[in-house]
Amino acid sequence: MNEAFISPSRMSRWGDRLKKIEQLAQSFQQHPLTTRYKPRLWPCQPSSVWKLFPRQNMAISFTQSCKEAVHVFALEKEKASLGQRIYLVTSYSELWHYYRTYPQSLMHCYEVIPEGAVCKIYFDLEFHKPSNRGSDGKSMVSLLIQYVCDKLMEVYGIKCSAKNILNLDSSTEEKFSRHLIFILQNAAFKDNIHVGKFIHAILQPVINKIKSDSDLEKENSSPTENNENREAVVSEMTPEMKRFKREERDLSFLLVKNKDGQNCLFVDLGVYTKNRNFRLYKSSKAGRNAAFTVAEDNEFVPEPARRVSAEESVFLASLVCNVSFTGQRILTWDAPEVNRPQTAAPQCQQGSASNPDTVSGCQLSPYQEVDNFVLTLVRKDGIQGNIRRWSYFAAEQLLVYDINKYRWCENVGRFHKSNNIMIIVDFKEEVWYQKCHDPDCRNFRSSSYPLPREICVSYILSLDEEDQAYVMDETGNFEPSQTRNNSERPAEEATPGAWGDERDDQAYLESLNEFEENSGEISDQLLLTCVDDGCSQ
Ligand SMILES: [Zn+2]
């Protein structure tokens, strides 16, 4: 039909209709439909996520698509074939809640340290007791702590002592076994690979000792080759390495014997690999009874926090990747002798891959699409900005880019002369914003801008529910999922003590349940208002 033939009366009918639609749209805007109420553990918590995956990479992908701050944990099943693990995605607080409620099914639980995630320094220490009758584990731990603290001061200028180190014990008659987790004031490592390199570097003298002993045994030592390597290393010193003095201290206290009577190291150097599973506080290995508890000689006391029990504070402190972005200094150790393969984006200028301070260099994260997007933000106005460094904060799902050369700051509305800016990509909110290194812009955070559709992880990854091969039943057992209608979550039963001593919370939840049963649904907005009132008391 041609517009020219529409009669005037018809035109006015259309006009009325349009008005009605506009009125409707306005009323919908003023009174939005309530979103479905999602159960929460307690009022101040975000809604819950509890998903189980047969494979680690599926679980990791899922956390990145999730709007909530969730993390991957590995669970070892009792009586399962050796080493078989399933992967749980949930929040720290929810894990802690069910960890206490179902100690049987969650007793062999590991934190997955995601590749590239900012993390604390951690140690796995052990020796076979019968093979080391004369060894005093406690004093070895104490000497190691002192040594690492001295090195942190020497290399990074960071002051710390045994009071900053959570010391966990899971020793048995057979084995001395400890975990140390360093809770530094406003400093953490870029990722566990950097932690491993730093620890390798500071323990080099004693590592060399073990190596030369075994070389002597094999009678094939080649000192000339070693000297050549050393010269190559010296020519490419990073600032950290220049501050690092060659250690003359006696580190022989770190030497222990294995079951075969050979020299080996008290420090397990094998725990600094990507996606490493690190056993949790209060967990034991499958088939064993020795769970990690706070060691007798532990000196770390977590700061008390509201609504968090002392035990939960220890649990939160023990999580290697539980590091907040705010005010954090990121430590790196870039050993030049290791040539990491560089995954280069086509438009990225190559600098020295091993040195993050390089002026022309470009550091690329594992998220190539995001890197490319960030580069489009800092390559305009005739300036070729670069990614000087990136850090991934798994706890908050933030990817933080330190930008080189491009210094436009939203706070001052112009380019800074010398101070650099940061671009922060928030995977949870699917937004990016700018922050600034200029002292005047210290607390500034720009508006949030949506990430382009094509790099939103939730867009890339639409999870197939069939991937969830396991569910947890009401008694806390993990079972292969039969149908998709199976309950994915444990029942919300009120376990004695599970709510702490906050009786108000219990009463609050009861009345909430009652209200829900009678009234159907509560809007999130209303709930938030109530929660805000409750939390500000
Ligand atoms: Zn600024």
Side-chain angles (χ1 to χ4, degrees), residues 59 76-77 106 145 155 192 195 205 295 299 303 305 335 395 479 481 530:
E76 258 178 344
K77 274 186 84 173
L106 293 170
I145 287 176
V155 176
N192 71 336
V195 175
E299 291 184 39
E303 278 177 32
E479 295 302 333
S481 78
C530 302

Side-chain angles (χ1 to χ4, degrees), residues 409-412 416 421 434 436-438 441 444:
C409 172
E410 193 177 305
N411 192 32
V412 293
H416 281 295
I421 63 156
Q434 177 238 319
C436 188
H437 284 294
D438 191 283
C441 305
F444 169 73

Side-chain angles (χ1 to χ4, degrees), residues 49-66 68 70-75 85-90 110 112 114 275 277 392 397 457 461 463-464 467-470:
V49 174
W50 186 273
K51 286 188 183 288
L52 295 158
F53 297 85
R55 286 201 301 277
Q56 187 167 264
N57 55 4
M58 282 156 62
I60 291 172
S61 303
F62 178 72
T63 61
Q64 286 158 4
S65 76
C66 230
E68 290 83 9
V70 289
H71 313 277
V72 183
F73 301 91
L75 307 170
R85 289 176 185 183
I86 55 176
Y87 299 90
L88 165 67
V89 174
T90 190
Y110 297 74
V112 175
N275 298 328
N277 292 185
Y392 175 56
Q397 275 158 250
V457 201
L461 184 111
L463 180 83
D464 184 356
D467 285 348
Q468 280 194 261
Y470 295 91

